[in-house]
C-alpha cells in the first residue's frame, strides 16, 4: 500500500484491509480528513456523511475481525453521484427543487454497495439533473478541476471525477447519459466506464433520459473500475431494461490486460478537425502503443455519427421533459407559492415551484423536449431522431464487424475555464460529440488517461468502445494501455497533478 | 359552480325525428389482480388511504415500473373474449399531463399499439318492432392496458369538485391499479334505441368480464366505469343514406356509475344536444359530468383538440410480445360466452323467456346454477333466489349475497320440502333462521321444532275437531261445494300450528265429508 492511504488504489486498499495492515475506519477517516482539507476548494461533495461512513467501516471491521468471508471491496469507501437515491442521505440531483428531500429507499446500486460493505463517504456534485458537461449547472455551485481550480471538472458527473482525482475517495459512482462519466474522466485524468445499457440497474437512479442513462464506475485505475463494475452490475428484477445475464468477466480481463491479435478500429468521424491538437496527438500515441503491443489497427467509418448530437438533443430533452414532470411540489421537495396570488390552485403552485426550482439549462431542455413531442412535430423531431438512432446502431454493427473494439479521443478538448461556455450551450454540447453515439446505441465505453496536452499541460482521454454485453473487452484493452502509458510516464498521470493545499479548510 | 344551470332539452322522440345519434363508449375496467400494474403493492378496495403505496406507484424519483404479467394475461383474455386480434408486439406509452392525483404527471398507458384491437360484442336489445329481442353488434376498436390514477377528494365547496373546494386530499392507493380501457367504434344505426344499446352493451360487457373472472365489475365502487360520447347529426334527407351524413361534435359524459345512468345520461345528452342544435348553436366539444340525483349533465372542462398529451413510447418498459402459444393457451381458458351460456341454461332449466329475464335481472344465474348443482330443482332454485330472497333484498335495500345464504343452504331447504319434512310456510321460517345466522336449514328446523305432523292420528283428531266446530261449512262440502274445504284446511293448519301437510289434511277432510 501507498504510505498515504488516500493515494492508494482501491485494489491496494482492498489488499491492505484483507491483510489487516489497515482498518476500514482508518481508511474512511483518512478520506474524511482529506475531504476536510481540500473540498472547500474543489467543492466536489454536496453532502458528506462522516458518521454513516465511519459506522459502516466499524461494522465491516468487526465482521472481518470475526473471521467473516467478505467481498474484496468490503471496507473500501466510495462516493456516490447525487443522482442516486440514498435512504437517509439527502438526494438533490444538483437541483434546488429537491433541496431537503430525504429518499425513503435506496437505489439498487447503493443497496449493492451497502451489501458489499462499502462505506459511503457522501454524495457528489453534478450538473442539475445531469444536464451539462461542466458541473457549472449545479444549483449548489460548480466543482473545480483538481488539476486547475479555475477549470471545469467535466460534467455532468464532475463531482465524482473530481473526488477521485483529488484523492477525496478511491472510488465513485457516476452516471452517463451522453458522456457524463467519460468526459469528466478525460478532463481530470481518471478512469470512467459507461457499461452496456442494462448492465447496471437504473432502479433508484433519478432519470434524465431513461433510454440513455447508465450508471458506472469512476476510479483512478482500470482494475479498480472492473472491481466496482462487478459489484454494481448484474440483473435487477426492479428494472425491466436490466440485462438478465451474468456480469461480463471484467476483473479477469483487466488482470489479463492482453491486446495481442486484437483488431482495433479507429473511428474516422471522431477525430481530426474540431479536436484539440494535444488531444489528437496523445490519442495517436496511444494507438501506436497498442499497435506496438500486437494489436491490429484498422480505420472504420461510422457516417451516421455526424447526426448523433442532433438526434441526442431531441431524444434526451423529450424523455427528460416527461421524467422531470414529477417535480411538482405536491408530494416532496421544494414548494413555492406564487407571489400575489390568493388561494393559489395546485397548478399555480406547480408552475411557481418549477419556475423557482429549476435552473436555466433544465428549463431549456424541458421546453425543447415538450416541443419535440408535441403533436404535429413528433414525427419530424422525435420520430426522425429515433431513425437516426437506429442508423447509428447499424453503424456500430458494421464497425464491430471489422474491429473488436473502437477507439476515439473521449472529449475534443481538455478542461475549459469555468464560465467560458455558459453563454454558449452549443459549444458545451459539442464536448460530448464522441461519447454520445455509445449511449444512443447502448454499447459500453471507457475513458482512460492518454496523457497531457502539450499546449496546456492538462489531461487528455482516450475512449474505448465495445459491442453490447462485451464490456470485458474495454477492460482488457484499457488495462494493457494503462500499463504501457504508466511505464512511459514513470508513474500514474495523476501523480503529475499539482498538490492541492489545505488553504480553504 | 354551486348551482348547475338548467339547460333546455327537447322531447326525446321529437329529437329523434330530426337527429340521428352516434355514440362511442369507453369503458375502464379495474382488473382484480392481487398487485398493481407496475409494482407489488396490494389492490384491496377500501383500505386506509395511502397505505398501499411504494416508491413506484408514488412516482418517487428514481423508481421504475415492472409490468404485472398477470394483468397482461387478463388483457389478452379480455381481448380474445371480445373477438379482438392480439398484438404480437406492443409497447406502453406515456400520456403526459399535470394533475395532482397523477404521481409522475404522466400516465403509463398504451397509445397507437394497443394489446387488442378490431373486435366486437353482440348485445341483445328489445326488437325495433314487436316484443322480441334482437342482436345489435357493437364493434370494438381497441382494448388497451394502463394504470389508474390516485383519487382526489375535494373538501369544502358545494359540489365536491375541485372548483370551490377549500382543500383537496389525494389517496394514492388507487394509483397504479391495472386498468383495461375498452373503446368502441362509433355506434351508428341504433337510432331511437341508442340509450338502450348503450346500457345493454355495458351490461353485456360486465357479464363477460365477470365470467372471465378478471374484475369485480362493481360500477358503484368504480371497478367498471363508463364514459359515454354522444353526438347528433341531422337525419338524412329522404332517399339518401344516413351513413353519408358527417358526424356532429361530440361530448364526453363522465361519472356514469350505474347501468341505469348509462341509459339516462345518453338519453339526456341526445335531448340536450338537440335543443342546442335547434337553437342554431353549435355543440361544444367538452367533458360533461352526469348527476345521478338531478338526471342532467353539466359542463366540465372544455376538451379541445389542442389538448396535447405528447404521447411517446415508455422508455422504462420493454415491449410486450405474447407468443402465439401464450395467446392460444389463454384462449383455451375462455369461458363460454355469456349469451350462449344463458341460452343453454334456460333450456336446461326449462324456464320461460320471462322467467329467464327475471333471473338475469336479479343477477342470480350463477346462484341458481350452483344451487341446482347442489341438488335443488331449477324451479325451486328460481323461486327461492328470485322470488323470496330477491324480494327481501329489494325491500331491505341490500344485496342478495349479503344475507349469508349459500346455494348449498337453498338446496338443503328444497330437500327438506321435497322430503315432506317442511311445507312452504315452514320453509320460509327456516330461511328466516338461516338469514338470522342460526345455522343451516336442518339445524334451524331442528332448533325451532319445525316439522310437518306426519302422524295421521293427530291429524285426524284435528280434522274431527274442526268439522265438529264448523258444522255449517262441513255441510257445504257435503253438498258438493268442494272449495269450501279450504276454510276447514286452514282451521286444521291453525290447530296444528302450521306443522301439518295441507295436502294430507285435504284428503282426510274430503274423505270424511265425501
Amino acid at each position: 500500500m501507498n504510505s498515504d492511504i488516500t493515494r492508494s488504489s482501491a485494489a491496494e486498499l482492498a489488499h491492505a484491509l484483507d491483510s489487516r495492515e489497515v482498518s476500514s475506519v482508518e481508511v474512511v477517516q483518512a478520506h474524511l480528513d482529506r475531504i476536510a482539507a481540500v473540498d472547500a476548494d474543489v467543492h466536489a461533495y454536496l453532502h458528506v456523511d462522516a458518521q454513516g461512513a465511519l459506522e459502516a467501516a466499524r461494522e465491516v471491521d468487526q465482521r472481518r475481525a470475526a473471521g467473516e468471508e467478505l467481498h474484496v471491496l468490503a471496507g473500501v469507501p466510495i462516493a456516490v453521484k447525487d443522482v442516486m437515491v440514498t435512504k437517509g442521505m439527502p438526494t438533490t440531483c444538483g437541483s434546488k427543487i429537491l433541496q431537503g428531500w430525504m429518499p425513503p429507499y435506496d437505489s439498487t446500486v447503493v443497496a449493492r454497495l451497502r451489501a458489499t460493505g462499502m462505506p459511503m463517504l457522501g454524495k457528489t456534485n453534478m450538473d442539475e439533473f445531469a444536464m451539462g458537461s461542466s458541473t457549472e449547472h449545479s444549483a449548489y455551485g460548480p466543482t473545480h478541476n483538481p488539476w486547475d481550480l479555475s477549470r471545469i471538472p467535466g460534467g455532468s458527473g464532475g463531482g465524482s471525477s473530481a473526488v477521485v482525482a483529488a484523492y477525496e475517495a478511491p472510488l465513485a459512482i457516476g452516471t452517463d447519459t451522453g458522456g457524463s462519466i467519460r468526459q469528466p474522466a478525460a478532463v481530470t485524468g481518471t478512469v470512467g466506464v459507461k457499461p452496456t445499457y442494462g448492465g447496471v440497474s437504473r432502479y433508484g437512479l433519478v432519470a434524465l433520459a431513461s433510454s440513455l442513462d447508465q450508471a458506472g464506475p469512476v476510479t483512478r485505475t482500470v482494475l479498480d473500475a472492473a472491481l466496482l463494475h462487478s459489484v454494481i452490475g448484474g440483473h435487477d428484477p426492479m428494472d425491466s431494461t436490466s440485462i438478465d445475464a451474468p456480469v461480463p468477466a471484467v476483473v479477469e480481463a483487466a488482470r489479463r490486460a492482453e491486446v495481442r491479435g486484437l483488431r482495433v478500429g479507429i473511428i474516422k468521424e471522431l477525430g481530426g478537425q474540431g479536436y484539440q491538437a494535444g488531444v489528437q496527438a496523445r490519442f495517436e500515441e496511444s494507438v501506436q502503443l497498442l499497435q506496438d503491443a500486437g494489436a491490429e489497427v484498422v480505420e472504420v467509418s461510422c457516417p451516421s455519427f455526424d447526426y448523433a448530437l442532433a438526434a441526442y438533443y431531441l431524444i434526451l430533452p423529450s424523455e427528460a421533459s416527461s421524467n422531470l414532470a414529477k417535480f411538482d411540489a405536491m408530494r416532496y421537495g421544494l414548494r413555492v407559492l406564487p407571489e400575489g396570488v390568493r388561494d393559489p390552485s395546485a397548478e399555480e403552485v406547480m408552475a411557481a415551484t418549477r419556475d423557482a426550482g429549476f435552473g436555466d439549462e433544465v428549463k431549456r431542455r424541458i421546453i425543447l423536449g415538450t416541443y419535440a413531442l408535441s403533436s404535429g412535430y413528433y414525427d419530424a423531431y422525435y420520430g426522425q431522431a429515433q431513425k437516426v438512432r437506429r442508423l447509428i446502431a447499424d453503424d456500430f454493427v458494421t464497425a464491430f464487424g471489422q474491429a473488436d473494439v473502437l477507439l476515439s479521443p473521449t472529449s475534443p478538448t481538455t478542461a475549459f475555464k469555468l464560465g467560458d461556455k455558459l453563454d454558449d450551450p452549443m459549444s458545451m454540447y459539442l464536448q460530448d460529440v464522441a461519447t454520445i453515439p455509445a449511449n444512443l446505441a447502448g454499447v459500453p465505453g471507457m475513458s482512460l488517461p492518454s496523457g497531457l496536452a502539450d499546449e496546456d499541460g492538462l489531461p487528455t482521454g482516450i475512449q474505448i468502445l465495445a459491442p453490447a454485453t462485451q464490456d470485458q473487452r474495454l477492460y482488457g484493452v484499457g488495462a494493457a494501455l494503462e500499463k504501457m502509458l504508466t511505464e512511459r510516464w514513470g508513474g500514474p498521470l495523476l501523480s503529475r497533478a499539482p498538490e492541492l493545499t489545505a488553504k480553504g479548510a | 359552480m354551486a348551482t348547475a344551470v338548467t339547460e333546455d332539452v327537447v322531447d326525446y322522440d321529437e329529437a329523434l325525428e330530426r337527429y340521428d345519434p352516434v355514440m362511442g363508449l369507453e369503458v375502464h375496467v379495474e382488473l382484480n389482480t392481487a398487485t398493481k400494474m407496475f409494482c407489488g403493492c396490494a389492490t384491496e378496495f377500501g383500505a386506509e388511504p395511502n397505505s398501499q403505496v411504494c416508491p413506484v406507484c408514488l412516482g418517487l424519483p428514481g423508481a421504475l415500473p415492472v409490468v404485472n404479467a398477470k394483468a397482461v394475461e387478463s388483457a389478452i383474455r379480455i381481448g380474445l373474449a371480445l373477438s379482438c386480434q392480439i398484438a404480437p408486439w406492443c409497447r406502453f406509452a406515456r400520456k403526459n399531463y399535470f394533475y395532482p392525483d397523477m404521481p409522475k404527471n404522466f400516465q403509463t398507458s398504451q397509445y397507437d399499439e394497443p394489446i387488442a384491437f378490431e373486435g366486437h360484442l353482440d348485445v341483445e336489445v328489445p326488437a325495433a318492432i314487436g316484443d322480441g329481442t334482437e342482436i345489435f353488434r357493437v364493434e370494438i376498436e381497441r382494448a388497451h392496458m394502463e394504470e389508474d390514477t390516485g383519487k382526489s377528494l375535494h373538501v369544502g365547496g358545494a359540489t365536491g369538485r375541485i372548483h370551490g373546494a377549500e382543500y383537496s386530499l389525494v389517496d394514492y392507493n388507487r394509483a397504479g391499479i391495472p386498468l383495461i380501457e375498452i373503446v368502441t367504434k362509433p355506434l351508428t344505426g341504433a337510432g331511437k334505441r341508442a340509450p338502450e344499446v348503450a346500457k345493454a352493451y355495458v351490461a353485456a360487457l360486465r357479464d363477460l368480464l365477470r365470467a372471465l373472472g378478471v374484475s369485480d365489475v362493481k360500477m358503484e365502487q368504480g371497478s367498471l366505469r363508463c364514459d359515454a360520447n354522444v353526438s347528433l347529426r341531422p337525419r338524412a334527407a329522404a332517399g339518401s343514406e344516413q351513413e353519408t351524413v358527417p358526424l356532429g361534435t361530440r361530448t364526453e359524459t363522465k361519472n356514469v356509475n350505474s347501468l341505469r345512468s348509462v341509459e339516462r345520461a345518453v338519453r339526456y345528452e341526445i335531448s340536450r344536444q338537440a335543443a342546442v342544435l335547434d337553437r342554431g348553436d353549435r355543440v361544444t366539444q367538452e367533458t360533461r359530468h352526469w348527476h345521478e340525483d338531478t338526471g342532467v349533465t353539466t359542463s366540465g372542462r372544455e376538451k379541445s383538440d389542442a389538448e396535447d398529451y405528447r404521447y411517446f413510447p415508455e422508455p422504462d418498459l420493454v415491449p410486450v410480445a405474447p407468443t402465439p402459444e401464450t395467446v392460444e393457451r389463454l384462449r383455451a381458458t375462455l369461458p363460454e360466452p355469456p349469451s350462449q351460456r344463458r341460452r343453454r341454461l334456460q333450456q336446461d332449466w326449462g324456464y320461460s323467456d320471462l322467467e329467464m329475464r327475471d333471473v338475469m335481472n336479479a343477477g342470480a344465474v350463477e346462484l341458481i346454477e350452483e344451487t341446482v348443482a347442489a341438488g335443488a330443482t331449477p324451479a325451486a332454485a328460481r323461486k327461492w333466489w328470485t322470488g323470496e330472497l330477491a324480494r327481501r333484498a329489494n325491500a331491505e335495500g341490500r344485496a342478495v349475497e349479503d344475507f349469508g345464504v349459500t346455494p348449498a343452504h337453498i338446496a338443503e331447504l328444497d330437500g327438506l320440502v321435497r322430503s315432506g319434512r317442511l311445507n312452504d310456510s315452514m320453509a320460509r321460517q327456516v330461511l328466516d333462521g338461516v338469514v338470522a345466522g342460526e345455522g343451516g336449514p336442518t339445524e334451524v328446523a331442528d332448533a325451532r321444532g319445525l316439522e310437518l305432523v306426519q302422524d295421521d292420528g293427530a291429524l285426524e283428531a284435528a280434522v274431527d275437531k274442526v268439522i265438529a266446530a264448523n258444522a255449517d261449512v262441513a255441510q257445504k262440502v257435503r253438498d258438493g261445494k268442494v272449495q269450501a274445504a279450504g276454510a276447514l284446511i286452514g282451521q286444521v293448519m291453525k290447530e296444528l300450528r302450521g306443522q301439518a301437510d295441507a295436502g294430507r289434511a285435504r284428503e282426510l277432510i274430503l274423505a270424511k265429508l265425501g
Side-chain angles (χ1 to χ4, degrees):
Chain A
M1 194 187 69
N2 201 300
S3 58
D4 180 349
I5 287 175
T6 61
R7 303 281 159 145
S8 306
S9 71
E12 288 166 342
L13 288 173
H15 182 76
L17 285 161
D18 185 51
S19 59
R20 320 282 168 99
E21 270 176 65
V22 67
S23 72
S24 178
V25 168
E26 287 168 319
V27 173
V28 167
Q29 191 56 56
H31 285 96
L32 291 172
D33 293 346
R34 174 72 179 171
I35 293 167
V38 304
D39 203 55
D41 287 338
V42 181
H43 189 48
Y45 279 100
L46 289 179
H47 177 79
V48 176
D49 184 20
Q51 202 189 333
L54 285 168
E55 252 167 52
R58 240 184 314 274
E59 196 194 310
V60 81
D61 284 341
Q62 280 162 10
R63 285 168 59 195
R64 198 185 302 278
E68 228 179 281
E69 188 87 18
L70 295 174
H71 188 279
V72 60
L73 286 183
V76 177
I78 189 164
V80 176
K81 191 178 179 183
D82 206 29
V83 73
M84 282 279 172
V85 304
T86 39
K87 190 174 180 176
M89 220 191 285
T91 299
T92 67
C93 300
S95 180
K96 255 191 282 181
I97 210 157
L98 274 177
Q99 194 157 28
W101 181 53
M102 201 65 94
Y105 75 110
D106 270 333
S107 66
T108 296
V109 164
V110 166
R112 288 183 181 177
L113 297 177
R114 288 196 207 269
T116 305
M118 299 177 70
M120 264 185 293
L121 294 166
K123 305 297 286 290
T124 60
N125 200 9
M126 56 187 282
D127 285 301
E128 185 176 4
F129 286 108
M131 298 183 194
S133 306
S134 66
T135 318
E136 293 168 291
H137 301 280
S138 165
Y140 304 100
T143 295
H144 302 261
N145 192 323
W147 287 78
D148 176 349
L149 295 174
S150 71
R151 291 180 185 268
I152 60 115
S156 64
S160 284
S161 62
V163 294
V164 170
Y167 306 103
E168 297 181 73
L171 301 169
I173 296 293
T175 62
D176 190 313
T177 305
S180 288
I181 288 176
R182 291 162 290 159
Q183 180 257 6
V187 300
T188 57
T190 57
V191 177
V193 179
K194 180 202 93 73
T196 299
Y197 182 79
V200 176
S201 170
R202 289 188 299 117
Y203 190 76
L205 189 181
V206 180
L208 165 55
S210 311
S211 72
L212 302 165
D213 295 343
Q214 188 59 208
V218 174
T219 62
R220 289 191 292 265
T221 72
V222 173
L223 177 61
D224 283 3
L227 291 168
L228 182 52
H229 189 147
S230 62
V231 168
I232 61 175
H235 183 241
D236 177 12
M238 299 293 276
D239 175 0
S240 311
T241 61
S242 145
I243 296 169
D244 193 359
V247 185
V250 291
V251 176
E252 292 79 348
R255 290 197 196 281
R256 213 178 304 123
E258 181 56 61
V259 293
R260 191 164 302 280
L262 200 77
R263 293 174 305 161
V264 171
I266 311 302
I267 305 168
K268 200 174 92 184
E269 287 76 9
L270 302 181
Q273 203 181 356
Y275 287 73
Q276 195 179 314
V279 170
Q280 189 68 35
R282 296 293 91 82
F283 172 71
E284 282 159 15
E285 283 166 20
S286 290
V287 172
Q288 189 58 53
L289 281 178
L290 287 169
Q291 194 162 18
D292 296 346
E296 180 194 332
V297 177
V298 295
E299 190 185 72
V300 299
S301 177
C302 296
S304 300
F305 283 18
D306 290 347
Y307 307 101
L309 197 68
Y312 176 82
Y313 276 100
L314 288 168
I315 291 167
L316 176 141
S318 295
E319 292 184 11
S321 71
S322 175
N323 282 332
L324 269 56
K326 59 168 63 85
F327 302 102
D328 64 0
M330 294 295 112
R331 291 163 301 278
Y332 47 80
L334 185 72
R335 175 176 290 180
V336 174
L337 300 181
E339 263 177 66
V341 182
R342 259 190 54 192
D343 298 332
S345 68
E347 282 80 0
E348 286 166 331
V349 174
M350 287 180 188
T353 302
R354 289 166 68 81
D355 186 29
F358 286 142
D360 287 348
E361 184 61 27
V362 172
K363 285 179 191 161
R364 181 179 303 144
R365 298 201 198 180
I366 289 175
I367 291 167
L368 253 170
T370 304
Y371 183 76
L373 288 176
S374 298
S375 84
Y377 299 99
Y378 179 93
D379 289 339
Y381 295 125
Y382 187 81
Q384 281 296 102
Q386 290 292 7
K387 286 181 195 159
V388 170
R389 190 174 187 171
R390 166 58 56 88
L391 293 176
I392 285 165
D394 290 348
D395 275 0
F396 269 117
V397 170
T398 307
F400 284 125
Q402 299 162 267
D404 300 309
V405 295
L406 304 177
L407 300 180
S408 78
T410 307
S411 172
T413 69
T414 55
F416 53 86
K417 291 264 188 193
L418 286 161
D420 255 12
K421 302 198 174 188
L422 275 180
D423 297 325
D424 186 3
M426 192 59 210
S427 84
M428 181 180 73
Y429 297 168
L430 279 167
Q431 282 285 305
D432 295 329
V433 70
T435 46
I436 280 170
N439 299 81
L440 288 172
V443 304
M446 170 189 281
S447 177
L448 73 152
S450 58
L452 301 177
D454 296 329
E455 54 273 25
D456 54 21
L458 290 167
T460 59
I462 178 169
Q463 173 176 242
I464 311 167
L465 301 169
T469 73
Q470 300 301 310
D471 304 44
Q472 75 284 352
R473 292 189 198 169
L474 306 177
Y475 290 93
V477 178
L481 184 57
E482 179 186 54
K483 198 165 158 229
M484 293 184 281
L485 285 168
T486 310
E487 274 168 22
R488 168 178 285 199
W489 299 327
L493 190 69
L494 268 177
S495 62
R496 304 216 212 154
E499 280 299 319
L500 291 166
T501 53
K503 65 173 188 277
Chain B
M1 296 277 281
T3 51
V5 184
T6 312
E7 294 195 42
D8 292 339
V9 291
V10 172
D11 174 74
Y12 182 73
D13 290 325
E14 257 182 59
L16 264 295
E17 282 168 21
R18 294 191 287 279
Y19 303 103
D20 176 48
V22 177
M23 296 183 293
L25 299 169
E26 291 171 19
V27 171
H28 285 89
V29 188
E30 274 186 4
L31 298 180
N32 59 4
T33 49
T35 57
K36 291 186 178 180
M37 187 74 223
F38 300 116
C39 63
C41 286
T43 55
E44 196 192 319
F45 181 80
E48 183 75 13
N50 297 310
S51 64
Q52 296 173 351
V53 293
C54 74
V56 177
C57 57
L58 282 178
L60 292 189
L64 293 173
V66 176
V67 173
N68 180 339
K70 200 79 198 162
V72 174
E73 287 197 356
S74 293
I76 293 173
R77 293 180 72 231
I78 290 170
L80 292 171
L82 290 169
S83 307
C84 287
Q85 296 182 52
I86 304 302
W89 189 92
C90 64
R91 288 178 294 185
F92 284 92
R94 292 187 184 179
K95 179 179 182 180
N96 295 285
Y97 65 97
F98 283 84
Y99 203 77
D101 65 17
M102 281 231 309
K104 300 167 291 183
N105 285 322
F106 63 78
Q107 181 187 29
T108 307
S109 180
Q110 292 195 287
Y111 180 48
D112 49 1
E113 299 169 8
I115 181 88
F117 52 95
E118 300 285 333
H120 59 81
L121 181 63
D122 289 338
V123 303
E124 252 177 69
V125 288
I129 305 153
D131 295 333
T133 57
E134 63 185 45
I135 300 293
F136 188 95
R137 173 159 287 195
V138 176
E139 302 284 348
I140 306 293
E141 183 175 300
R142 56 189 281 153
H144 73 245
M145 302 178 277
E146 60 185 33
E147 59 179 340
D148 211 342
T149 61
K151 201 169 183 171
S152 298
L153 179 67
H154 305 296
V155 182
T159 59
R161 289 177 39 207
I162 192 163
H163 296 288
E166 281 170 42
Y167 61 92
S168 301
L169 299 170
V170 189
D171 178 5
Y172 293 104
N173 282 354
R174 201 181 70 177
I177 300 260
L179 285 183
I180 305 296
E181 181 175 336
I182 301 164
V183 183
T184 67
K185 292 190 174 167
L187 299 181
T188 58
K192 196 172 173 169
R193 291 176 300 166
E196 288 158 316
V197 167
K199 179 187 172 185
Y201 165 69
V202 178
L205 197 54
R206 185 194 59 182
D207 291 348
L208 182 71
L209 295 165
R210 188 183 283 141
L212 284 165
V214 294
S215 169
D216 300 337
V217 286
K218 288 183 180 160
M219 290 189 87
E220 69 281 6
Q221 288 186 0
S223 55
L224 184 77
R225 310 197 279 270
C226 177
D227 300 340
N229 291 279
V230 175
S231 67
L232 297 184
R233 55 181 170 180
R235 281 239 166 265
S240 67
E241 285 285 327
Q242 183 65 51
E243 293 313 305
T244 61
V245 181
L247 300 180
T249 304
R250 68 188 165 86
T251 60
E252 181 179 6
T253 301
K254 291 186 180 286
N255 197 31
V256 191
N257 294 331
S258 70
L259 287 178
R260 192 165 157 262
S261 299
V262 172
E263 183 172 7
R264 290 173 73 206
V266 169
R267 184 178 291 267
Y268 176 84
E269 266 306 286
I270 291 172
S271 291
R272 187 191 68 84
Q273 290 185 19
V276 172
L277 295 171
D278 280 355
R279 280 200 304 273
D281 288 347
R282 286 159 61 162
V283 172
T284 310
Q285 184 171 340
E286 62 183 353
T287 300
R288 298 185 67 83
H289 292 269
W290 169 249
H291 301 272
E292 180 72 50
D293 47 352
T294 50
V296 302
T297 65
T298 57
S299 174
R301 69 200 152 113
E302 271 192 36
K303 194 172 184 175
S304 66
D305 288 330
E307 190 155 15
D308 187 348
Y309 293 121
R310 306 191 311 280
Y311 282 101
F312 73 103
E314 168 58 276
D316 283 330
L317 290 171
V318 290
V320 174
T323 62
E325 294 72 35
T326 302
V327 173
E328 288 319 305
R329 177 176 60 77
L330 293 171
R331 195 190 300 278
T333 67
L334 293 187
E336 184 182 9
S339 57
Q340 190 180 317
R341 174 160 171 268
R342 197 181 317 142
R343 282 193 293 277
R344 174 177 60 80
L345 290 174
Q346 185 180 350
Q347 200 165 20
D348 287 357
W349 294 341
Y351 293 174
S352 70
D353 287 351
L354 189 66
E355 287 168 341
M356 195 65 194
R357 199 189 310 164
D358 285 347
V359 167
M360 299 292 307
N361 288 342
V365 177
E366 283 76 22
L367 290 169
I368 290 176
E369 196 176 21
E370 286 174 46
T371 306
V372 171
T377 65
R382 185 179 61 78
K383 184 183 80 179
W384 287 113
W385 286 113
T386 64
E388 189 62 21
L389 285 164
R391 187 185 54 71
R392 284 186 196 216
N394 257 335
E396 297 173 29
R398 299 167 68 181
V400 169
E401 296 81 17
D402 296 343
F403 287 123
V405 179
T406 65
H409 285 147
I410 297 299
E412 188 180 335
L413 190 63
D414 181 45
L416 292 174
V417 172
R418 281 195 287 149
S419 71
R421 174 168 174 181
L422 302 178
N423 63 19
D424 257 23
S425 79
M426 290 161 76
R428 278 195 186 85
Q429 291 176 52
V430 168
L431 189 62
D432 284 340
V434 176
V435 170
E438 293 167 21
T442 307
E443 216 177 322
V444 173
D446 288 349
R448 291 193 173 191
L450 292 168
E451 177 145 28
L452 282 179
V453 175
Q454 303 285 359
D455 170 8
D456 263 11
L459 191 57
E460 264 195 86
V463 167
D464 289 344
K465 189 177 167 191
V466 167
I467 289 174
N470 298 277
D472 48 339
V473 182
Q475 192 52 49
K476 282 182 187 165
V477 178
R478 283 194 194 92
D479 294 346
K481 288 193 72 175
V482 179
Q483 61 269 44
L488 298 176
I489 297 168
Q491 289 289 321
V492 170
M493 297 302 285
K494 203 170 166 190
E495 195 66 29
L496 293 170
R497 297 192 322 282
Q499 308 205 0
D501 180 339
R504 181 69 189 134
R506 182 185 171 84
E507 278 174 33
L508 283 174
I509 289 168
L510 292 180
K512 283 178 191 287
L513 300 178

